[in-house]
Amino acid sequence: MTPIVPVVREMSIEEQVEYGLCTRDLMLEQGEHVYRLTAGATDTVQVFKQGTILFVLTVNYKLDYVALDWYQGNECEPIDSLFLRGDYAVREFAGSGWRAMSQVELARRLSRLFA
């Protein structure tokens, strides 16, 4: 799993209307593909690539949640997602030191849940 730095931007008004949303989510641009993220503007977003899969780790330490989405190919929606809310839930699947571990390690541990 390799960290990458794609463009992460706020959704345009046109994209908001297209998806039928009341709020403007984040969009990720990687090469010629554009993906709709499930992350909010105050979340920490880290993107990793493994083969043809993009893993998007979303962390919000203030609100105590972690999410991992994986995208493949030109699918703009995640193929699968994981959302853990609350310290207990995150510790259960990532380990008790999840707040101190690197984001790449946190993403690796959570990605094993997709297997």
Side-chain angles (χ1 to χ4, degrees):
M1 194 175 285
T2 305
I4 61 172
V5 186
V7 173
V8 176
R9 62 172 174 78
E10 194 171 90
M11 183 181 278
S12 69
I13 299 278
E14 293 78 17
E15 290 166 327
Q16 178 185 356
V17 170
E18 178 184 334
Y19 288 106
L21 299 172
C22 296
T23 60
R24 290 171 65 186
D25 288 344
L26 297 179
M27 302 293 283
L28 180 141
E29 296 178 3
Q30 173 63 20
E32 60 192 46
H33 303 292
V34 178
Y35 305 94
R36 186 172 71 89
L37 300 181
T38 59
T42 61
D43 296 335
T44 299
V45 177
Q46 178 69 50
V47 183
F48 304 94
K49 188 168 184 173
Q50 185 173 349
T52 60
I53 299 172
L54 287 181
F55 288 99
V56 178
L57 177 69
T58 304
V59 180
N60 191 312
Y61 294 106
K62 273 187 167 179
L63 299 176
D64 255 0
Y65 66 77
V66 173
L68 186 68
D69 298 322
W70 70 272
Y71 299 81
Q72 190 163 20
N74 59 1
E75 293 292 323
C76 66
E77 299 289 330
I79 301 297
D80 207 350
S81 298
L82 168 69
F83 182 81
L84 301 171
R85 184 167 186 189
D87 184 62
Y88 175 80
V90 181
R91 279 188 290 123
E92 173 114 6
F93 294 100
S96 61
W98 70 274
R99 289 178 182 276
M101 70 179 63
S102 70
Q103 291 193 344
V104 70
E105 180 58 26
L106 182 57
R108 275 193 189 114
R109 289 184 186 200
L110 295 177
S111 70
R112 293 182 196 141
L113 299 173
F114 292 130

